[in-house]
Amino acid sequence: EYSSITATRMSQNNNPNNFGSPNNDNNNSNNNSNIGNECTETNETKQKRLLIQQILKNPALSQQEKQHQIQSLMSGHVHIPANTLAPQNNSNNGHGNSNNNGVSACTHYVRQCNIISPCCGKVYPCRLCHDDGEDHTLNRYEIREVVCKHCNLRQPASNSNQCMNLNCKVRFAEYHCGVCNLWIDGEDVAAKQPFHCDKCGLCRVGGRENFTHCNKCCMCIRNGITDHQCIKDKYKNICPVCREDMFSSRQSPIELACGHCIHDKCFRTLAQFDYRCPICKKTACDEVMMEEAWASRARDIEMQPMPPNLSRVVCIICNDCARKTRSLNWHFLGVQCPSCRSFNTSIVSNEGQQQPDNNNNNSNSSNDDNAGDSSSNADAAAAASMSS
C-alpha cells in the first residue's frame, strides 16, 4: 500500500523490510465429487503460488534453503491442508453487506477493514494481497469501497476512517491516507512512521521530519545527506537486480558511489559474489575496504607467479578510472590497473607471449583467453568477506 523508499547512501546502515516466514502447511483434503476436486486443485495451486512468493521474499532464508523449500513444496513432500487454502472471494455480491469469512488474513498490514477491488470486484485485505492472488495489479488510487471487518458493512472509502454503521463506528486504522487509500494500524504506525508526500504522490515511511523531497531526483532524501548526486528522475527507474520499479517499491533503495541506484536488499545479495555496480561495473564497495582487498590480491599474485608456458601480455581497461593500459602481464587472479591500483579491470586484447626478461609485473585480469571481464571468483571472495 505504501512505499518504504528512503534514499540513503550505501555507507549508512539501512534496515531492510522483514517479511513473514512461509507457511509450511499440510494438505490432506480429498473430495468425492469431480467439481470439489477441481475447486480444491485450483485453491491448492493458488496457495502454492502464494507460498512460493513468501519463500522468495523471506530474508532469513539463504538461496539454497529457498530452493530446497520450493522443491519440496512442488514435489509434494510438503502438503497444504484444505483448511488453510485461500478460499475463492465469492462473498462480494455487489450490494449491502459483504461476508468477511471468506477473506484470508492479511500478512502485510494491520487494519480493521477490507477493500473492494475496483478491477475485479473481489474482497481483499489489501492491495498487496490482491496482487499476490491475481494475475493483474490493483491501482491503489481507484479504490472506492471498503468492508468493515467487525460488522461486514460495505461502504464508501471515505476520509472519515470510521465505519458508517451507527452501531459499530469502529476506527479502521490509526493512520489513514485518503489519497493512497492506505490504512495502517497497530505497532506498524510507530515503527514505520508513515507519511504522505504530495510531491511524490505516495505514502513513504520513516517520518516526515526526517526527509526532504528533492525536486530534481523526484524522491524523499533523508536529512543530513547533502552529497547525493542530483540527477533528474534518478529513482524513476527499475532496480537492475530484481527489475522492480524503485520509485513505488516498498524496498529501500541506496545510491552507489557511481550515482546509480539499487535496492539495499538487492545490493547486499549482490555483494556476496560481486563488488561492482551492475550497471556501469564500477567498484561499489567502500574505498578503504577495497584498497585493503587490492593490496591482498597483489600479495597473492606476487607469491604465485605464472609459469612460463601460461604467461602472456595483455592490454586492459580499468572499469574504475576508465584508463587503458598496454603491455601488462596477465595473471589468473586479475590484472591490476597501474593508475588507480584497482583490480576491477577488463582485458581489451592479448598482445602475445610474455618475454622471459620482463619484470615480474604481476598485474591482472580475467581467466578467459578472450577479451572480457577480469573480475573472477577471487573478486567474489573478496567482496563477500567485505560485505558481511
Side-chain angles (χ1 to χ4, degrees), residues 340-386:
C340 66
R341 314 306 298 173
S342 170
F343 277 89
N344 183 16
T345 58
S346 298
I347 298 177
V348 177
S349 63
N350 296 320
E351 298 184 350
Q353 197 74 14
Q354 178 182 342
Q355 298 298 324
D357 57 345
N358 282 354
N359 294 328
N360 188 18
N361 182 24
N362 289 323
S363 295
N364 76 53
S365 196
S366 169
N367 55 2
D368 190 351
D369 289 342
N370 299 322
D373 205 351
S374 69
S375 302
S376 60
N377 292 334
D379 295 335
S385 63
M386 291 180 295

Side-chain angles (χ1 to χ4, degrees), residues 233-248:
D233 295 336
K234 176 170 58 177
Y235 290 92
K236 288 191 173 181
N237 291 300
I238 60 175
C239 174
V241 175
C242 67
R243 313 299 293 175
E244 181 184 2
D245 176 45
M246 287 189 292
F247 180 75
S248 59

Side-chain angles (χ1 to χ4, degrees), residues 16-65:
N17 292 337
N18 295 324
F19 295 88
S21 301
N23 297 322
N24 295 324
D25 298 327
N26 295 323
N27 180 24
N28 296 319
S29 175
N30 292 316
N31 296 323
N32 295 327
S33 65
N34 293 332
I35 298 178
N37 286 332
E38 292 177 358
C39 293
T40 302
E41 292 174 358
T42 302
N43 290 338
E44 182 177 357
T45 301
K46 181 180 292 186
Q47 188 68 7
K48 280 186 177 181
R49 182 169 66 249
L50 294 177
L51 289 176
I52 291 174
Q53 292 173 350
Q54 293 177 2
I55 292 173
L56 293 175
K57 291 179 180 179
N58 189 356
L61 299 176
S62 65
Q63 189 65 26
Q64 185 175 4
E65 290 173 335

Side-chain angles (χ1 to χ4, degrees), residues 7-9 11-12 209-212 221-228:
T8 59
R9 294 301 298 269
S11 58
Q12 293 185 336
E209 67 280 1
N210 299 322
F211 291 87
T212 302
I221 308 296
R222 184 176 292 275
N223 295 337
I225 300 179
T226 58
D227 58 343
H228 78 278

Side-chain angles (χ1 to χ4, degrees), residues 51-52 55-56 65-75:
L51 289 176
I52 291 174
I55 292 173
L56 293 175
E65 290 173 335
K66 292 178 181 179
Q67 294 176 355
H68 177 72
Q69 289 195 13
I70 293 175
Q71 183 178 5
S72 299
L73 181 66
M74 298 305 296
S75 62

